[in-house]
Amino acid sequence: MVRMDVVVIGAGAAGLMCAFSAAARGRQVLLLDHANKAGKKILMSGGGRCNFTNLYTEPANFLSGNPHFCKSALARYTQWDFIEMVSRHGVPYHEKKLGQLFCDNKASDILGMLLEECEQAGVDLRLETAVQNIDKTDDGYQLQTGAGPVACKSLVIATGGLSIPTLGASGFGYQVARQFGHSVLPTRAGLVPFTITEPQLKSMCEALSGTSVEDCLVSCNGQSFRENILFTHRGLSGPAILQASSYWEPGDAIEINLLPQLNLSEWLDEQRQERANTELRTLLGELFTRKMAGLLAEHWFVSKPLKQYSANELTMIAERLASWRLVPAGTEGYRTAEVTLGGVDTREVSSKTMESQKSPGLYFVGEVLDVTGHLGGFNFQWAWASGYAAAQFV
Ligand code: FAD
């Protein structure tokens, strides 16, 4: 029987961070993953450039049934700590927008850095190794794995959420949590595109597939996000939509202000005075792509010269563009979601150490916990911070 101080299951962002940070403290660490490669999501992230953290990370950027839970770990291992490691490894990066830090080259720079840290610290990394069974022993845990039985004092579950099963996602972490008496809060896809089935809107989305509107304000259940939106064959996507999706429950409406930078009523009124003979379609063509303007003019309004609209009609046009309300049919689900909302209930886990309050020596880190970040590098920062926190105590 192999005996280790620590076994970490899941060689993703949180598991890698936890493994080398614990090994750097002198622990003997075995890091297991059932996939054939470590950190597959890191490689896919940020469009291949990995948005590895956010300069403005704050607890308010996270959703959780227990909003205070993330504070301690985020304060102990900050975005500046991760940036220091990235700089130490000479990985070139830049701020894209809104504090989002991306690699200049490839996401593999970040994965390479984490794997190098693992190697330097002496982490024993085993890929394509599944865990069949876990039992509690007097002084820790015993695992049956594809590589034989292993005993450890501390067991860290870093198996992530359910999003993108083709990248190795599984419900394994939730299963282990339940086995040791933990509650698992209902899970659902987050940071995910909406699907639309209402026929007229669906055909508009299909026709505009690939078109983005640069500056929109999307609101859902009291939360608003100002960024671009993107029409897709199936509905709506783009950063502002993805952010809103994390606050959306089936049946909820979302509201989109397509032109938050303008006071539309006033602006339309001015335009009517200055260019009375201009058609609404032409005017909209100055704000959106010509195709989108044409479709809006066709589906939403009757296009005619501005002088032919009453003040009331212009107000209604402004309202439609500034408060477009729609009820998505659903989301694209875990197939394309960037994250999983819900998960292991944080009320039964120590926010300082990530240790289970139900089963000593068992730890949960990363996305498997009910902590989900906004879009923009926050989810990785949670993975780094929670992985590091556990590593100080295993
Ligand atoms: P993961 O990184 O998912 O790692 C879990 C690991 O556990 C995997 O290696 C998996 O193979 C392994 N595993 C699962 N089940 C088992 C099992 N039964 N046995 C053994 N091993 C198992 N966040 C950002 O902050 N910035 C971004 O740019 C960004 N882009 C993203 C792009 C995409 C396409 C996706 C899907 C997500 C993106 N995210 C991004 C979210 C981010 O990737 C996750 O929040 C983060 O990877 C979670 O880290 P984790 O270690 O908890 O889980």
Side-chain angles (χ1 to χ4, degrees):
M1 162 102 60
V2 178
R3 287 183 192 282
M4 304 296 288
D5 294 324
V6 185
V7 171
V8 180
I9 307 179
L16 288 161
M17 177 57 127
C18 184
F20 71 71
S21 302
R25 289 181 56 242
R27 298 289 182 270
Q28 267 194 306
V29 182
L30 176 65
L31 174 57
L32 303 177
D33 203 297
H34 65 171
N36 58 359
K37 213 171 185 174
K40 283 190 180 181
K41 270 191 196 165
I42 298 173
L43 294 176
M44 284 279 289
S45 67
R49 291 230 163 118
C50 186
N51 177 194
F52 56 81
T53 192
N54 193 295
L55 294 176
Y56 309 120
T57 304
E58 298 227 10
N61 298 115
F62 296 85
L63 294 90
S64 173
N66 174 10
H68 300 295
F69 181 81
C70 63
K71 290 181 179 171
S72 169
L74 289 174
R76 182 168 308 189
Y77 189 88
T78 68
Q79 58 273 41
W80 309 112
D81 293 314
F82 196 77
I83 293 166
E84 185 278 319
M85 179 164 53
V86 169
S87 304
R88 183 158 37 85
H89 281 256
V91 174
Y93 67 90
H94 60 279
E95 180 185 353
K96 195 168 169 193
K97 59 180 174 178
L98 307 168
Q100 300 165 4
L101 299 191
F102 283 77
C103 295
D104 285 354
N105 301 323
K106 287 186 291 205
S108 55
D109 285 357
I110 295 295
L111 181 59
M113 172 187 85
L114 298 170
L115 289 171
E116 200 179 311
E117 289 281 338
C118 282
E119 203 181 318
Q120 276 172 13
V123 172
D124 184 355
L125 169 62
R126 305 277 177 94
L127 298 169
E128 295 180 300
T129 305
V131 176
Q132 285 101 24
N133 192 39
I134 302 174
D135 287 311
K136 180 94 186 78
T137 58
D138 289 344
D139 60 348
Y141 294 86
Q142 189 173 319
L143 289 72
Q144 296 303 325
T145 78
V150 185
C152 60
K153 289 192 203 109
S154 301
L155 175 63
V156 183
I157 305 300
T159 46
L162 296 169
S163 7
I164 322 227
T166 50
L167 294 182
S170 78
F172 182 81
Y174 307 134
Q175 195 184 309
V176 176
R178 288 194 188 98
Q179 179 189 342
F180 291 99
H182 280 264
S183 314
V184 176
L185 299 177
T187 55
R188 63 178 209 279
L191 299 180
V192 62
F194 285 129
T195 55
I196 287 170
T197 51
E198 193 272 305
Q200 196 197 56
L201 206 50
K202 185 168 188 278
S203 74
M204 189 164 113
C205 290
E206 277 167 2
L208 292 176
S209 173
T211 303
S212 61
V213 184
E214 282 312 313
D215 181 14
C216 290
L217 186 73
V218 180
S219 306
C220 181
N221 287 321
Q223 300 288 326
S224 296
F225 297 94
R226 193 164 168 175
E227 270 241 49
N228 64 321
I229 67 166
L230 173 73
F231 290 92
T232 73
H233 271 291
R234 306 184 56 178
L236 290 169
S237 186
I241 292 289
L242 298 181
Q243 299 276 34
S245 74
S246 293
Y247 291 88
W248 184 84
E249 301 262 9
D252 288 343
I254 61 166
E255 192 173 291
I256 305 178
N257 183 344
L258 289 168
L259 294 161
Q261 70 281 27
L262 286 179
N263 179 333
L264 267 171
S265 289
E266 266 179 39
W267 187 78
L268 283 171
D269 205 39
E270 275 166 27
Q271 300 305 307
R272 185 177 52 168
Q273 286 169 34
E274 285 169 19
R275 17 187 206 161
N277 291 320
T278 303
E279 270 225 23
L280 181 66
R281 178 194 298 265
T282 313
L283 195 66
L284 293 178
E286 292 168 16
L287 300 168
F288 306 110
T289 63
R290 205 180 300 163
K291 190 170 184 186
M292 182 166 165
L295 283 167
L296 291 177
E298 184 184 327
H299 290 300
W300 288 10
F301 318 114
V302 180
S303 184
K304 51 189 181 182
L306 294 176
K307 66 183 175 195
Q308 291 178 19
Y309 290 100
S310 67
N312 218 3
E313 282 175 320
L314 283 188
T315 306
M316 279 166 63
I317 291 169
E319 269 171 18
R320 185 88 203 252
L321 292 169
S323 325
W324 172 25
R325 249 178 91 80
L326 67 144
V327 179
T331 71
E332 289 190 6
Y334 294 120
R335 192 179 56 84
T336 60
E338 279 199 17
V339 286
T340 303
L341 291 147
V344 177
D345 192 340
T346 57
R347 280 167 290 211
E348 297 162 349
V349 176
S350 159
S351 62
K352 189 175 168 205
T353 65
M354 304 293 138
E355 188 175 11
S356 159
Q357 287 166 358
K358 301 273 180 183
S359 188
L362 178 65
Y363 296 78
F364 295 94
V365 297
E367 202 181 312
V368 73
L369 285 160
D370 171 35
V371 176
T372 307
H374 287 166
L375 188 79
F378 302 105
N379 283 297
F380 278 137
Q381 188 56 39
W382 171 245
W384 317 136
S386 57
Y388 180 84
Q392 308 314 304
F393 297 94
V394 290

Short mmCIF file of all heavy atoms in Angstrom, two decimals, residues 38-39 104 166:
data_model
loop_
_atom_site.label_atom_id
_atom_site.label_comp_id
_atom_site.label_asym_id
_atom_site.label_seq_id
_atom_site.Cartn_x
_atom_site.Cartn_y
_atom_site.Cartn_z
N ALA A 38 -3.37 16.99 -17.66
CA ALA A 38 -3.74 17.88 -16.55
C ALA A 38 -4.24 19.20 -17.13
O ALA A 38 -3.86 19.60 -18.23
CB ALA A 38 -2.53 18.13 -15.67
N GLY A 39 -5.12 19.88 -16.39
CA GLY A 39 -5.49 21.26 -16.70
C GLY A 39 -6.10 21.50 -18.06
O GLY A 39 -5.81 22.52 -18.70
N ASP A 104 -0.11 36.78 -23.16
CA ASP A 104 0.16 37.35 -24.48
C ASP A 104 0.19 36.24 -25.52
O ASP A 104 -0.23 36.43 -26.66
CB ASP A 104 1.56 38.02 -24.52
CG ASP A 104 1.56 39.35 -23.77
OD1 ASP A 104 0.49 39.79 -23.34
OD2 ASP A 104 2.67 39.92 -23.63
N THR A 166 -16.74 16.82 -21.92
CA THR A 166 -15.67 16.33 -22.81
C THR A 166 -14.28 16.74 -22.32
O THR A 166 -13.28 16.23 -22.78
CB THR A 166 -15.87 16.86 -24.25
OG1 THR A 166 -16.06 18.27 -24.15
CG2 THR A 166 -17.05 16.22 -24.94
#
